[in-house]
Amino acid sequence: MKRAILGTAVLLALAACGSREALTPPPGTSMPPAAAGDPTPPTAEELVTPDTQSRPARSDELLRRSEQRKDDRFDLPPPG
């Protein structure tokens, strides 16, 4: 029981360590250069925001009726 309480306390302490200040490059370094054809280099916020291709929208389309699956010739049993 004591271990569970200690573990929970440690996890809560680690969760509270997050920083909420603006992202900046480490001292002595600079931001990445602008891409070819881009007039300005990207900001830190633009670099950490995923684009739609890397994080596509979720499809919430519901099944309207039951359908049989088509035969999948690549659905093979494991070897051995």
Side-chain angles (χ1 to χ4, degrees), residues 5 7-8 10 20 26 29 35-36 39-40 42 44 49-50 52 54 62-64 66 70 72 74 77 80:
I5 294 172
T8 304
V10 168
R20 296 199 178 254
T29 61
T40 59
T49 304
T52 55
S54 63
L62 301 174
L63 286 176
R64 302 213 185 270
S66 223
K70 296 178 183 175
D72 184 3
F74 296 105

Side-chain angles (χ1 to χ4, degrees), residues 20-41:
R20 296 199 178 254
E21 59 189 46
L23 296 174
T24 58
T29 61
S30 62
M31 295 292 287
D38 194 7
T40 59

Side-chain angles (χ1 to χ4, degrees), residues 43-56:
T43 64
E45 190 63 33
E46 290 171 342
L47 290 173
V48 297
T49 304
D51 60 349
T52 55
Q53 186 173 7
S54 63
R55 197 162 194 185

